[in-house]
Amino acid sequence: LAERARELGAPRVELAIIPAVPPQQPTEPAPSDSAAPEEAWPRGSARLLTVARLAPQKGLPLLLEAAAILSREVDAGRLAAFTWALAGDGPGREEAAERIAAEQLPVTLLGRRTDAPALMEAADVVVQTSLWEGQPLTIQEALRSGTAIVATDVGGTAVTARGGAVLVAPRAQAIAEALGTLLSDPEARSRAAERAHEAVGRLPGLEDLAVQLRQAALAQD
């Protein structure tokens, strides 16, 4: 959108600052929150997590295809067992559930959850498989969790991640390869988690937003 605005002759274009503030605790937890975060995965399997609305934008077919690729690696003995937990609800749930059942994919649909930060802290890798994004708040939350992150390099994801995520092309094979590396190499996963932790210090705050708004107001005078 910024590039298009410049092409159309906009004299000044910049991304709106979205401050990273700790998420508020919901007043009414979702019914699916009854299970503790660590219970989202079976004992003994590696823990992948995606938090997303189950809608076309979020690349559910990519996620399931990547899970299928990784599952074949497990069957071949080249990768340890994993479970990919998917927290969220939306119009794509039924189709996703059908494919998971038909292909016996190691993917668990958690439904809507209000404890996303706790789930992220319990995961080994947080994954975003979006086909397009603005500046995804989920990435900010994932950075705060200090967990390794793999995300598709679309829209403002790279800007939001600030070097704290492993960015890949929005292709199932690329996602699977990045996850396979992190799942099979504890040191690589630890380094990715450290990059996420370091990126938290580069996230914008409320004061950064205030400065941008003041500058925008002055530009209008």
Side-chain angles (χ1 to χ4, degrees):
L1 291 174
E3 291 172 359
R4 181 62 174 155
R6 293 188 185 97
E7 291 172 358
L8 293 173
R12 178 182 176 185
V13 180
E14 58 183 296
L15 296 177
I17 289 177
I18 301 177
V21 295
Q24 295 182 341
Q25 292 297 319
T27 55
E28 295 186 8
S32 50
D33 286 358
S34 57
E38 59 273 13
E39 295 175 358
W41 300 270
R43 189 180 300 274
S45 70
R47 303 173 173 185
L48 302 182
L49 172 70
T50 293
V51 179
R53 184 168 184 269
L54 307 190
Q57 169 196 357
K58 301 302 182 179
L60 291 182
L62 273 183
L63 185 156
L64 297 178
E65 183 57 32
I69 294 171
L70 291 173
S71 185
R72 291 193 288 270
E73 293 295 297
V74 173
D75 293 341
R78 292 188 290 267
L79 187 68
F82 71 94
T83 300
W84 198 327
L86 177 52
D89 208 347
R93 181 184 177 91
E94 183 175 348
E95 182 177 352
E98 291 175 355
R99 181 173 179 184
I100 291 167
E103 300 182 24
Q104 297 185 320
L105 298 176
V107 178
T108 301
L109 299 178
L110 301 181
R112 189 177 77 85
R113 301 278 297 221
T114 58
D115 58 347
L119 285 169
M120 290 176 178
E121 290 178 2
D124 293 313
V125 186
V126 176
V127 193
Q128 176 186 286
T129 62
S130 299
L131 300 177
W132 61 269
E133 282 289 352
Q135 297 182 67
L137 295 179
T138 299
I139 292 294
Q140 289 187 347
E141 290 183 354
L143 293 173
R144 284 184 176 278
S145 75
T147 303
I149 304 168
V150 171
T152 47
D153 190 5
V154 295
T157 298
V159 172
T160 307
R162 287 171 162 73
V166 176
L167 299 177
V168 298
R171 298 195 305 270
Q173 186 64 43
I175 296 167
E177 288 177 359
L179 290 174
T181 297
L182 294 183
L183 291 179
S184 60
D185 187 343
E187 290 187 4
R189 190 165 66 249
S190 179
R191 289 193 298 271
E194 183 61 29
R195 289 197 298 273
H197 178 73
E198 291 173 352
V200 173
R202 298 190 288 272
L203 290 175
L206 292 172
E207 181 56 33
D208 298 297
L209 173 60
V211 169
Q212 185 182 54
L213 292 176
R214 285 195 292 268
Q215 291 175 342
L218 291 173
Q220 297 299 317
D221 292 341

